[in-house]
Amino acid sequence: PAEPVADQSEASLTSSYVPIENLTAIQLIDEHKQFNESVLEYIGGTGVSATGEHRIVAVFGSQSTGKSTLLNHLFNTNFGVMDEASRQQTTKGIWLAVSPGVSCTDERKAGPTDDKIVVMDVEGTDGTERGEDQDFERKAALFALATSEVLIVNLWETQVGWYQGANMGLIKTVFEVNLSLFGRIKLDSASDHKVLLLFVIRDHTGVTSKESLSATLTRDLLKIWDSLNKPAELAQLRFEDFFDLAFHTLSHKIFQNDAFVSDVKLLGDRFVDTKNLDYLFKPNYCHNIPIEGWTMYAESCWEQIDSNKDLDLPTQQIMVARIKCEELASASFTEFEQTYAILYSEAQKASESQVPLNYVHIGQALVAAHLGALSDYDIGASKYNQDVYTHRRELLSEKVLAKLQNIVLLYAELLTASTVSEFEAALTKRTKSITLVDAIEAAKKSFVADYKRDLELLSVEGQIPTDSYTERLQAELQKIEGEQKIAEVNALVNKYLRKLQTSLNSAVQSEISKASEETWDNIKERYENLQKTLLSKVRNSDGKYDFGIGSESPVTEIASQTIEYKSWETLLAAIAKFTSKENLFNVLKDRFDEKFGYDANGNPRVYLNTTELESSFVAAKNAAALVLPNLSTAILSDGNKFQPTVNLNSSFLRRKFESVASALKAGAGAQEDESDSEDEENERNFIEVVSEDDQQEVLRKFKRETDAIFVARKGAIVQSRTQ
Ligand code: GDP
Ligand code: MG
């Protein structure tokens, strides 16, 4: 009785592509040896997922030995089978179908699985037809071995032990093309790649055991192997280097259909049950081409085979890996760019708002973005050639990190700015109990440590270099440290100068009012003593300055120069203030009043006659006038001049020593420039305290006033006499 033909098989005879929902096979390579481009679309529609594995199985054998029938029963595919009634041949070529589920004894395993099995049915020629079709047979064998993991060799039980005709030729072809494909690889590297030859013995009667049939087949296969014409360099390679063998017997489908069906299920177990002792798939059978790359790989292999070029599998696999890994990497990068855009705008927003940032979270987001891009890539790419995969992965990682670096830059700038201002605040708000230098050291230590910690969080696990940021921070802190030291010293200098001014004013005033020949000795002594006392806190016993910023600091040296200059300036101002014409007049007048108005005991004097009045008046006037030359020239009692150690006439120096900071800016060795020469005209001689003209003016006024007093007194005496 004829086996009823499945409806779908009709379709497969006429169309090279029918959607998978119809569970129809697709013609991968047609009778004109053309590769079917729509196979990619077909595979895409089968639900072979990126995460699930896929296995590739091909069947090979002489025409009409029930290959397609077996595949359809085993893998639930719909390859065309010969119509028993019309004896019509199925279309030649290589057919492909994705198994929707494998028939097996355990019903639970029979349904769709994650691991898809891609099945290829090779429709060859009838054993009797020869000639140009041998070419197709050989090409089909090459193609099947280059792409699949398990090769089913289908034969009748009656054929076992008989090695003539089609079967002999077929096995020989398989061995030869296998050598040409994998021979070189075996020699070059310690490749453990093998192909499983699964002999399915049909119409098994049971008279001869499976073991016995297997032994016969094995022995005969080895015989064929030995009889092969192998190239000299491959001569030492053994059968077992290339092949694993497996056997399965099936009962006669037409006479013992039930037994046939259960035998097929037992075979199915060996394809799906990984715990089965006879489980067929081994990792070293696969070609390391995930299904996404498989059609490209298959097409490229077929092109090479069909144009009779040497099929170099590693090159093919690397070619496919390059293209696919590149595609996957750029897809993953495109995806990453969206994450990047979000993270970047967050970073920009952070720069605008003043909210404190959580660098742990930011760092984690950056790490996640990097890892996310890589793991997106890994999902598809890790199954390709490992060298190509890892190389492209590194490039992707670098590209992602280079992008993330822009974000790190933004945050690092924020971090630097906030660290700098916190550092500055810590120094200005420090308690007076610790010195500036100690405060700087402590603040630096903790701020730099915090900064480095946050920077480390931003560095995507150290993959983005951040040393330059730390260096920049150090430089900024250094700048602030310098400014703080200058400000500190400036404050100390100003405090000293204020005290000096107050003290000098009263000292100079009192010395000038009790003017004598020792006035300038006294002023000098008091000036020097005041300096000594007021500077005692910033000078040690040997006169060296120490402002608490280290005596070696250039700031210390400049500050000491500033103090010297400013002290003299302060003294000059005090002297100028108390030697004004009005003040000098008052000094003279006081002297005069003292002598003229009081006696030696300090009692008011009463003049009874004009003679007495006149002599006293002259004496008092002369004594007072004597003070003027003493005050007018700063000469010490030993005859030496009392004069400053600095040039107070230079406007350059005046500007330079305005503050410690300005003195530092002007520099220690800076020279007076040309524009200052105009000052020479107004140059004052320090020791000439009061000019000749001013002295005369004071004397004239003094004479006028005292004469008036004299006239008044004399008038009073005369009047009292006449009363
Ligand atoms: P293929 O050319 O090898 O793919 O063979 P087909 O699957 O098209 O089947 C060829 C013929 O063999 C069909 O008429 C089937 O009914 C028949 N056939 C299928 N399986 C068996 C089997 O197990 N035993 C026998 N004797 N005939 C079978
Ligand atoms: Mg067939």
Side-chain angles (χ1 to χ4, degrees):
E3 178 76 2
V5 176
D7 289 341
Q8 293 96 320
S9 66
E10 296 283 321
S12 71
L13 289 172
T14 53
S15 161
S16 64
Y17 172 65
V18 177
I20 185 69
E21 298 87 72
N22 295 354
L23 301 176
T24 307
I26 180 170
Q27 194 174 26
L28 182 65
I29 290 158
D30 69 13
E31 59 273 36
H32 309 297
K33 297 174 186 164
Q34 288 300 305
F35 191 89
N36 186 351
E37 302 277 342
S38 54
V39 68
L40 184 65
E41 199 186 327
Y42 170 85
I43 297 238
T46 60
V48 179
S49 72
T51 42
E53 293 288 317
H54 72 282
R55 313 259 70 104
I56 301 194
V57 176
V59 74
F60 217 71
S62 16
Q63 188 64 43
S64 302
T65 46
K67 299 186 298 292
S68 304
T69 307
L70 164 64
L71 296 181
N72 290 345
H73 275 85
L74 182 59
F75 296 115
N76 296 297
T77 49
N78 276 283
F79 291 112
V81 295
M82 190 211 264
D83 182 345
E84 204 63 54
S86 65
R87 301 291 302 171
Q88 195 191 347
Q89 274 279 257
T90 46
T91 318
K92 269 195 293 184
I94 297 173
W95 292 77
L96 179 143
V98 175
S99 167
V102 179
S103 303
C104 53
T105 54
D106 185 346
E107 288 299 326
R108 282 165 302 167
K109 288 203 175 91
T113 50
D114 270 355
D115 287 7
K116 293 289 184 195
I117 296 178
V118 178
V119 186
M120 286 193 289
D121 187 11
V122 180
E123 289 293 346
T125 46
D126 203 312
T128 55
E129 282 178 49
R130 284 306 180 97
E132 63 99 10
D133 280 317
Q134 257 197 325
D135 177 54
F136 179 77
E137 211 93 297
R138 191 182 160 78
K139 283 176 175 170
L142 258 171
F143 182 76
L145 283 172
T147 54
S148 50
E149 302 165 46
V150 173
L151 191 63
I152 298 176
V153 183
N154 191 55
L155 74 174
W156 306 119
E157 183 183 1
T158 50
Q159 285 179 300
V160 176
W162 290 85
Y163 290 97
Q164 298 106 346
N167 274 326
M168 167 70 165
L170 184 71
I171 301 283
K172 248 187 128 166
T173 304
V174 169
F175 286 179
E176 275 168 19
V177 300
N178 188 73
L179 259 186
S180 75
L181 279 180
F182 301 111
R184 195 70 21 84
I185 306 169
K186 281 272 177 233
L187 288 179
D188 290 351
S189 60
S191 161
D192 66 345
H193 178 266
K194 283 189 191 185
V195 175
L196 176 72
L197 297 180
L198 170 62
F199 284 87
V200 177
I201 300 159
R202 308 291 292 269
D203 292 359
H204 183 232
T205 55
V207 175
T208 314
S209 72
K210 180 184 143 185
E211 287 67 34
S212 166
L213 290 168
S214 307
T216 311
L217 271 172
T218 308
R219 197 177 54 237
D220 292 335
L221 287 171
L222 289 172
K223 229 183 274 170
I224 296 172
W225 177 262
D226 290 339
S227 73
L228 276 187
N229 275 328
K230 291 191 271 295
E233 73 266 27
L234 304 175
Q236 83 275 20
L237 292 172
R238 292 162 306 153
F239 178 80
E240 313 86 81
D241 292 331
F242 295 96
F243 297 108
D244 278 345
L245 289 175
F247 302 91
H248 199 84
T249 53
L250 297 179
S251 303
H252 198 295
K253 176 168 179 299
I254 293 147
F255 300 152
Q256 297 171 271
N257 192 52
D258 291 351
F260 173 82
V261 169
S262 75
D263 286 345
V264 167
K265 283 183 177 175
L266 287 174
L267 182 54
D269 289 346
R270 299 176 68 181
F271 277 96
V272 293
D273 184 2
T274 51
K275 292 197 184 79
N276 191 306
L277 285 178
D278 294 322
Y279 181 65
L280 292 168
F281 293 115
K282 292 216 179 98
N284 60 331
Y285 298 160
C286 75
H287 292 279
N288 294 317
I289 302 283
I291 197 68
E292 302 86 358
W294 189 85
T295 55
M296 177 187 284
Y297 174 70
E299 180 170 9
S300 165
C301 281
W302 181 252
E303 265 168 25
Q304 301 266 311
I305 291 168
D306 194 35
S307 56
N308 284 312
K309 287 191 189 127
D310 274 350
L311 181 57
D312 181 349
L313 286 187
T315 309
Q316 292 299 313
Q317 288 170 5
I318 284 170
M319 185 270 303
V320 172
R322 285 220 182 101
I323 294 170
K324 286 291 170 181
C325 288
E326 184 59 45
E327 270 175 27
L328 290 162
S330 63
S332 153
F333 189 75
T334 309
E335 186 79 12
F336 158 77
E337 276 178 319
Q338 296 182 10
T339 315
Y340 170 80
I342 295 167
L343 292 177
Y344 190 83
S345 76
E346 276 172 8
Q348 278 179 319
K349 268 183 225 137
S351 340
E352 285 150 22
S353 77
Q354 302 293 309
V355 183
L357 297 171
N358 184 335
Y359 288 103
V360 174
H361 287 171
I362 295 166
Q364 280 167 350
L366 295 178
V367 169
H370 178 244
L371 279 184
L374 290 184
S375 64
D376 274 358
Y377 168 78
D378 286 347
I379 291 168
S382 61
K383 289 175 226 150
Y384 287 96
N385 175 283
Q386 287 301 294
D387 289 343
V388 175
Y389 153 71
T390 21
H391 176 67
R392 196 62 195 74
R393 191 179 197 270
E394 276 159 22
L395 294 182
L396 175 65
S397 169
E398 276 168 26
K399 213 170 146 194
V400 165
L401 289 173
K403 269 270 182 186
L404 291 177
Q405 199 155 3
N406 300 329
I407 296 174
V408 174
L409 173 72
L410 288 184
Y411 284 118
E413 273 171 357
L414 284 180
L415 184 58
T416 307
S418 70
T419 305
V420 164
S421 66
E422 279 167 31
F423 178 76
E424 205 165 6
L427 294 189
T428 43
K429 280 188 279 180
R430 74 179 205 273
T431 55
K432 294 292 160 208
S433 58
I434 66 167
T435 69
L436 179 65
V437 178
D438 288 347
I440 286 171
E441 278 320 303
K444 247 205 230 170
K445 219 172 168 184
S446 88
F447 283 106
V448 171
D450 286 358
Y451 182 82
K452 281 187 172 167
R453 184 203 57 216
D454 289 344
L455 212 50
E456 170 74 30
L457 291 170
L458 290 174
S459 73
V460 189
E461 293 167 334
Q463 293 175 102
I464 290 179
T466 53
D467 284 353
S468 63
Y469 301 124
T470 313
E471 279 162 26
R472 233 189 67 197
L473 178 81
Q474 307 265 28
E476 299 247 359
L477 297 190
Q478 196 73 37
K479 210 177 109 205
I480 290 168
E481 180 184 330
E483 286 164 3
Q484 289 289 323
K485 282 178 174 174
I486 292 167
E488 168 91 353
V489 172
N490 222 15
L492 287 172
V493 169
N494 287 339
K495 198 170 151 192
Y496 152 77
L497 287 172
R498 275 195 306 277
K499 282 186 186 164
L500 183 72
Q501 191 186 36
T502 319
S503 306
L504 266 184
N505 274 346
S506 64
V508 170
Q509 184 180 29
S510 102
E511 289 306 326
I512 290 200
S513 64
K514 56 181 192 198
S516 72
E517 273 160 14
E518 270 97 52
T519 296
W520 296 107
D521 298 272
N522 294 341
I523 288 178
K524 181 174 185 278
E525 195 187 328
R526 292 182 73 168
Y527 174 61
E528 284 166 356
N529 284 341
L530 274 173
Q531 277 189 301
K532 207 175 277 172
T533 326
L534 297 176
L535 289 172
S536 64
K537 273 189 188 144
V538 292
R539 259 194 325 197
N540 43 30
S541 51
D542 55 1
K544 267 197 161 185
Y545 283 95
D546 185 353
F547 299 99
I549 57 158
S551 56
E552 300 310 314
S553 165
V555 179
T556 303
E557 173 57 26
I558 292 286
S560 77
Q561 291 172 14
T562 309
I563 284 173
E564 183 170 15
Y565 183 90
K566 282 281 198 179
S567 299
W568 280 109
E569 210 177 58
T570 310
L571 177 62
L572 183 76
I575 291 170
K577 184 174 177 185
F578 295 107
T579 55
S580 65
K581 284 179 277 187
E582 195 191 345
N583 203 56
L584 284 177
F585 169 80
N586 288 338
V587 171
L588 260 61
K589 179 75 181 359
D590 285 352
R591 276 298 162 91
F592 171 82
D593 287 346
E594 186 96 348
K595 282 253 191 265
F596 186 63
Y598 299 91
D599 65 15
N601 300 320
N603 297 320
R605 267 170 97 156
V606 180
Y607 293 102
L608 299 174
N609 59 68
T610 52
T611 323
E612 203 184 347
L613 178 75
E614 261 163 48
S615 72
S616 175
F617 173 71
V618 171
K621 207 167 88 171
N622 287 345
L626 265 180
V627 168
L628 200 53
N630 275 340
L631 293 181
S632 296
T633 317
I635 297 280
L636 300 171
S637 57
D638 61 9
N640 284 326
K641 295 169 182 169
F642 174 46
Q643 60 182 6
T645 55
V646 296
N647 180 7
L648 292 175
N649 288 315
S650 158
S651 65
F652 166 76
L653 289 182
R654 205 153 43 238
R655 275 200 307 274
K656 171 176 174 176
F657 289 114
E658 202 147 344
S659 70
V660 176
S662 65
L664 262 174
K665 214 185 279 168
Q671 293 293 309
E672 254 182 88
D673 60 41
E674 295 301 314
S675 64
D676 291 314
S677 54
E678 66 193 47
D679 250 49
E680 307 280 314
E681 296 170 18
N682 316 331
E683 200 168 294
R684 272 194 56 191
N685 193 343
F686 180 83
I687 62 163
E688 234 183 68
V689 179
V690 189
S691 70
E692 198 58 45
D693 288 350
D694 287 353
Q695 288 181 46
Q696 290 310 319
E697 203 184 319
V698 169
L699 276 178
R700 269 198 303 279
K701 190 182 177 198
F702 175 64
K703 188 171 181 296
R704 247 190 343 262
E705 293 252 334
T706 50
D707 282 355
I709 291 168
F710 175 76
V711 171
R713 286 282 186 117
K714 195 174 175 181
I717 293 169
V718 174
Q719 201 179 7
S720 69
R721 288 238 197 93
T722 56
Q723 275 175 354

